[in-house]
Amino acid sequence: MLLPAAHAAVFSDFDVARPFFYGAIMFFLLSVVVGIATSNYRPKSVPRSQLAALVGAYIWLPILFAVPFDQAVKDTTFANAWFEMVSSFTTTGVTQYDTAGRLAPSLHLWRALVGWMGGFFVLMSAVAVLAPLNLGGVEVLSGRVPGRGAQGAGQITHAAGPADRMIRHSATLFPAYFGLTLLLWVCLLIAGETGLTAFCYALSTLSTSGITNGQPMATATGGLISEVLVFAFMALAITRRSLPGAVLVDRNRSIFADHEVQLASFFLILVPGLLFLRHWLGALAENDILNAGAAFRALWGGLFTTMSFLTTTGFESADWQDARMWSGLNSPGLVLLGLAMMGGGIATTAGGLKLLRVYALARHGEREMDRLVHPSSIGGGGDGERRLRQGGAYVAWIFFMLYAMTFAIVVAALSLRGLEFEQGLVLTVAAVTTTGPLAVLATEIPIRMIELSVSEKVILGGAMIVGRVEILAILALLAPGVWRR
């Protein structure tokens, strides 16, 4: 909170600086008191305590983040401030304040900073909390029951407590996370972006939150150079191997042989390629059919936007409109929804179903097709591949069904509140996959979040938390088998 306070004070915006400065002091003292009060606390069940703390962080921290934001924004309610902070901390990035000049620059900085902290919290919790409990996508590779702990997790838990593991993993992850953010910020400044705009782009790219300071990526000053830089750093959310200290059950596999990288590459070729080729396959009478410049802009717009929504970031390329006109698709909302639902890599800041689960289901389907032709055949690829096609695919299918049930419940809840089905579906996918910009780009008429009722925002806020934590982790928290550990 001291960073937006200092930023606002430099520009003499003391109405914004004071709430953040006082909030920093108040919540620092509160944290110290809570830390002292719980210093000797020893939970009966360490796994359940970790999962409860993980879920509690997404319930409690946005309330703290919303206090100075509510005081600094004129003519708003605390419910709106809470929804904005839930959206930021879960790296969803959807905003209610879409009117130009509605928020001060320091408030945009706070939104992007909360999203960036939320991205690091996801990385840290995935490695230090979810992976030892065989959750967060690791269960697909290990073949063990989710929530019961992977092989060797018991020894790890006894050798080092939860706090020790979090400190150790944070000391490994944070320098890389901070350094990459700083590097992208400097590169964007060199490309021609202004200071705050470049900083918000850098924070949002590494956290895949898609939060800006009111200037969309499509209108970036740096143009194509800025988009190329952001594209390169968004690729970090495809695989967990891009950062140190990652969850590596299959350590012997190179990054080029990584299943998630291969599947993401397939979609990065398929989706822009189909949009590009549809120009001729649809026999559209365009004047620039032989215009090489228009063809390149259309291809790049499709490639950048595909990467953006596959990693659940939600940035739109300046050439995305050219890609839509080139392909003849007036509203390619289903394409964006499908990409966001697949999501990025496990143990990354991306949301969605995750590429590894999609890959496991695809390989299982391929194996079943082979068995229809050759019932007595034996699947190759070694023990790891067989485990992925069998137990991994089984767990991935369970997660997929829970994912679909979550969509159905949230859509039904929004429909009962009077929201139209199309809007409810888009908002549900945007919330559960943590891809907030879908509310603007996936429909012909952008959905204005400020017009939603308080109950609808509470439903969407809960969906964001469920999508970020993942339903398997919540079920593991409620399972009696975890209580006895």
Side-chain angles (χ1 to χ4, degrees), residues 179-481:
L180 289 170
T181 305
L182 184 62
L183 176 62
L184 179 57
W185 180 33
V186 173
C187 292
L188 289 173
L189 290 175
I190 297 174
E193 302 294 340
T194 58
L196 182 59
T197 302
F199 193 53
C200 290
Y201 286 164
L203 295 175
S204 303
T205 300
L206 268 296
S207 63
T208 68
S209 63
I211 299 173
T212 67
N213 65 333
Q215 181 178 347
M217 192 71 206
T219 60
T221 307
L224 180 62
I225 299 177
S226 295
E227 290 188 3
V228 171
L229 291 170
V230 170
F231 180 90
F233 281 82
M234 281 193 299
L236 299 175
I238 288 178
T239 175
R240 62 201 181 280
R241 301 174 190 272
S242 56
L243 291 175
V247 182
L248 295 178
V249 179
D250 49 349
R251 295 181 180 274
N252 297 328
R253 190 180 300 275
S254 67
I255 190 171
F256 298 103
D258 185 87
H259 299 317
E260 293 173 323
V261 173
Q262 293 175 346
L263 187 60
S265 301
F266 171 76
F267 285 115
L268 288 172
I269 295 173
L270 178 66
V271 176
L274 289 178
L275 293 177
F276 185 74
L277 293 176
R278 193 179 185 274
H279 183 77
W280 289 281
L281 296 177
L284 299 176
E286 295 287 343
N287 295 327
D288 58 354
I289 190 169
L290 298 178
N291 189 332
F296 174 78
R297 289 195 301 271
L299 187 59
W300 170 252
L303 181 63
F304 179 89
T305 308
T306 298
M307 172 67 86
S308 177
F309 281 87
L310 188 63
T311 58
T312 68
T313 305
F315 284 142
E316 179 189 12
S317 171
D319 298 316
W320 175 239
Q321 298 299 326
D322 292 334
R324 291 174 54 183
M325 293 299 295
W326 184 271
S327 64
L329 292 176
N330 294 326
S331 180
L334 287 178
V335 176
L336 302 181
L337 290 174
L339 290 171
M341 289 176 66
M342 281 186 291
I346 66 170
T348 65
T349 56
L353 182 62
K354 300 300 176 60
L355 288 170
L356 188 61
R357 294 189 177 105
V358 177
Y359 179 84
L361 291 173
R363 290 305 305 271
H364 177 73
E366 179 187 10
R367 175 61 186 148
E368 291 300 311
M369 294 292 290
D370 289 340
R371 292 179 64 183
L372 288 176
V373 181
H374 303 287
S376 300
S377 63
I378 298 175
D383 181 65
E385 289 296 315
R386 286 193 292 271
R387 186 167 58 246
L388 181 69
R389 291 193 301 262
Q390 297 173 3
Y394 176 75
V395 177
W397 176 250
I398 293 176
F399 184 87
F400 177 79
M401 296 306 298
L402 293 173
Y403 206 61
M405 290 176 59
T406 304
F407 281 133
I409 293 172
V410 177
V411 170
L414 293 175
S415 298
L416 290 175
R417 298 306 305 161
L419 208 61
E420 295 182 1
F421 176 77
E422 181 182 357
Q423 290 185 335
L425 179 61
V426 172
L427 289 175
T428 299
V429 176
V432 177
T433 64
T434 66
T435 316
L438 282 173
V440 178
L441 300 177
T443 57
E444 294 185 5
I445 301 176
I447 302 173
R448 298 200 67 217
M449 306 301 295
I450 196 67
E451 297 176 357
L452 300 179
S453 65
V454 174
S455 59
E456 291 167 344
K457 292 176 182 177
V458 171
I459 294 171
L460 291 175
M464 293 177 196
I465 295 174
V466 171
R468 185 74 276 181
V469 178
E470 291 194 353
I471 188 66
L472 274 181
I474 297 177
L475 291 179
L477 173 63
L478 301 177

Side-chain angles (χ1 to χ4, degrees), residues 22 59 64 70 88 105 112 116 129 140 145 151-152 162 176 230 234 292-293 328 331 351 357 378 384 425 467:
Y22 296 153
I59 296 175
L64 304 186
D70 174 58
S88 299
W116 185 76
V129 178
V140 178
V145 179
Q151 187 174 7
V230 170
M234 281 193 299
S331 180
R357 294 189 177 105
I378 298 175
L425 179 61

Side-chain angles (χ1 to χ4, degrees), residues 30-119:
L30 177 63
S31 301
V32 171
V33 171
V34 172
I36 294 174
T38 59
S39 60
N40 292 325
Y41 173 70
R42 296 294 180 270
K44 296 180 180 179
S45 173
V46 175
R48 185 168 184 263
S49 175
Q50 292 177 355
L51 291 176
L54 179 62
V55 176
Y58 285 101
I59 296 175
W60 175 243
L61 288 179
I63 298 176
L64 304 186
F65 297 150
V67 172
F69 188 88
D70 174 58
Q71 297 296 317
V73 178
K74 305 298 181 182
D75 302 327
T76 192
T77 63
F78 188 80
N80 288 341
W82 170 82
F83 180 82
E84 196 76 13
M85 292 299 101
V86 170
S87 173
S88 299
F89 190 57
T90 58
T91 71
T92 304
V94 64
T95 181
Q96 309 161 94
Y97 308 102
D98 51 0
T99 306
R102 181 72 173 86
L103 297 181
S106 301
L107 296 175
H108 285 298
L109 173 62
W110 177 237
R111 292 175 54 241
L113 190 61
V114 169
W116 185 76
M117 292 188 295

